[in-house]
Amino acid sequence: MEKLMRDFFLFLSTNRMMTRFAKKYGSSFGASRFVAGETIDEAVQVIKELNGKGLDVTIDYLGEFVDNEKEANEMADQTIEAINAIGREKLNSQLSLKLTSMGLDISEKVVMENMRRILKEAEKNQVFVTIDMENYSRCQKTLDIFKKLRTESENIGTVIQSYLYRSEQDIMDLNNYSASLRLVKGAYKESSEVAYPNKADVDKNLKKIIENHLQNGNYTAVASHDDAIIEHTKKYVKENNIPNSQFEFQMLYGIRPERQIELAEEGYTMRVYVPYGTDWYGYFMRRIAERPANAAFILKGIFKK
């Protein structure tokens, strides 16, 4: 039953009509649990609160289904505005973005021009940029662009998803770029031809790629709410004398906030992924898909209104 619900919400996450409706309607019916408002000013207040609790942040201006150059350029402008806000407010925050929102599905020229604009501002403000990974069909394109940009800037990282069969090889390839990577399980619906269908295999592969990337001496962001993964990482770094400065934990805004504070108090870098913006629908549906029990919370919020 849980798998059926997960597949249902992942299907909804790709529905363009629902995306347009949600943009128009607003995020008031529950998304505020996972999304830090619709404007950069609202997001800045959330970041300040998190920083005050000893938590680091990475901020993401949400956007999906960008299919024209004008909109991609506007997304890049909004991202640059976020970078400048981080610098101006002296926030402890990095920045995350999706290449589709920068024009990946339009042309390489558009996405590269926008990414170079963004990285220029990020360098000025000393803001690290992580390229989020999207679905499998965009994986190789994303890595190809990351590699090009990595040769131009040290201020950029990307994401590897453990549910893909290819991920262990990708870790090996990216070692040539001394890549800073966020390692995650993955949140898209993929065919069993390219991704592990069983959770146990996804978890096992995540542990393996965490170990490989740490042993390669590269910075590793372990992005998981799973205590088994967190405890495995703690044990592995201790047994292999890997300093805390080489890795961090990451969790999503609105999920396990008490655990986030616990990890920070234990002396680990704990970074919270904080999304904001009006284009929240796809992100929101994927969060529900990860834990369908969240759907009850949402429905309760809707019927209260």
Side-chain angles (χ1 to χ4, degrees), residues 15-25:
N15 188 294
R16 294 188 182 223
M17 185 181 74
M18 288 296 292
T19 296
R20 288 193 295 270
F21 172 79
K23 247 180 158 177
K24 184 177 180 180
Y25 183 84

Side-chain angles (χ1 to χ4, degrees), residues 29 295-305:
F29 67 90
F297 170 88
I298 305 310
L299 291 171
K300 185 178 179 183
I302 293 171
F303 289 117
K304 273 186 175 179
K305 294 191 178 293

Side-chain angles (χ1 to χ4, degrees), residues 162 185 199-208 226 229:
S162 72
K185 292 182 183 181
K199 180 181 182 298
D201 293 323
V202 176
D203 292 354
K204 182 179 177 181
N205 199 40
L206 180 56
K207 292 175 182 177
K208 183 189 292 185
D226 187 338
I229 299 297

Side-chain angles (χ1 to χ4, degrees), residues 33-285:
R33 177 180 176 180
F34 306 111
V35 178
E38 297 186 352
T39 68
I40 185 60
D41 291 338
E42 291 174 311
V44 163
Q45 293 309 308
V46 169
I47 297 170
K48 286 181 177 179
E49 290 172 12
L50 293 169
N51 286 170
K53 296 175 182 177
L55 300 168
D56 295 10
V57 167
T58 183
I59 191 173
D60 180 13
Y61 181 70
L62 295 171
E64 303 193 33
F65 306 129
V66 174
D67 57 10
N68 65 82
E69 187 171 348
K70 180 177 181 291
E71 190 175 356
N73 294 341
E74 288 171 353
M75 288 293 299
D77 291 342
Q78 291 287 341
T79 301
I80 288 169
E81 182 183 357
I83 291 169
N84 289 329
I86 292 169
R88 182 176 64 252
E89 300 287 341
K90 296 181 170 51
L91 303 173
N92 183 351
S93 180
Q94 298 181 354
L95 181 122
S96 296
L97 56 79
K98 288 181 173 58
L99 288 185
T100 50
S101 69
M102 299 300 135
L104 181 67
D105 294 344
I106 302 166
S107 73
E108 183 171 332
K109 177 178 178 291
V110 171
V111 72
M112 289 297 286
E113 286 178 354
N114 280 328
M115 286 304 300
R116 286 181 174 128
R117 283 204 295 137
I118 288 164
L119 287 173
K120 183 179 179 181
E121 292 301 314
E123 294 279 358
K124 285 182 191 175
N125 289 278
Q126 297 182 310
V127 175
F128 190 83
V129 176
T130 296
I131 297 173
D132 285 339
M133 188 57 70
E134 302 179 66
N135 61 8
Y136 180 79
S137 67
R138 298 178 174 98
C139 181
Q140 189 59 53
K141 284 190 210 174
T142 299
L143 292 178
D144 289 344
I145 287 172
F146 166 73
K147 289 172 183 177
K148 289 178 184 177
L149 293 170
R150 184 68 181 84
T151 63
E152 302 173 13
S153 173
E154 295 183 356
N155 207 40
I156 189 167
T158 191
V159 178
I160 295 295
Q161 300 166 314
S162 72
Y163 68 173
L164 297 180
Y165 300 136
R166 61 175 289 166
S167 294
E168 188 174 3
Q169 183 60 50
D170 285 335
I171 292 284
M172 292 175 61
D173 293 342
L174 290 169
N175 186 42
N176 296 322
Y177 294 82
S178 301
S180 173
L181 297 178
R182 176 192 301 148
L183 305 182
V184 303
K185 292 182 183 181
Y188 293 86
K189 181 172 173 55
E190 303 290 2
S191 162
S192 60
E193 293 180 4
V194 300
Y196 294 104
N198 298 320
K199 180 181 182 298
D201 293 323
V202 176
D203 292 354
K204 182 179 177 181
N205 199 40
L206 180 56
K207 292 175 182 177
K208 183 189 292 185
I209 64 175
I210 288 169
E211 292 175 5
N212 290 352
H213 199 55
L214 286 168
Q215 282 296 343
N216 287 339
N218 299 312
Y219 195 81
T220 306
V222 178
S224 177
H225 305 99
D226 187 338
D227 279 325
I229 299 297
I230 293 167
E231 294 305 318
H232 177 83
T233 303
K234 287 183 183 180
K235 182 180 178 184
Y236 187 81
V237 297
K238 186 175 182 181
E239 290 176 348
N240 291 274
N241 298 311
I242 294 169
N244 284 7
S245 59
Q246 195 189 320
F247 73 97
E248 65 184 49
F249 293 111
Q250 293 189 3
M251 292 188 189
L252 300 171
Y253 176 64
I255 301 181
R256 305 199 71 193
E258 298 85 2
R259 186 67 173 122
Q260 295 173 12
I261 292 171
E262 283 177 6
L263 288 166
E265 289 176 345
E266 289 172 17
Y268 298 105
T269 299
M270 174 64 238
R271 191 175 306 281
V272 184
Y273 184 101
V274 176
Y276 76 102
T278 59
D279 199 0
W280 50 269
Y281 173 78
Y283 174 87
F284 185 43
M285 287 296 111

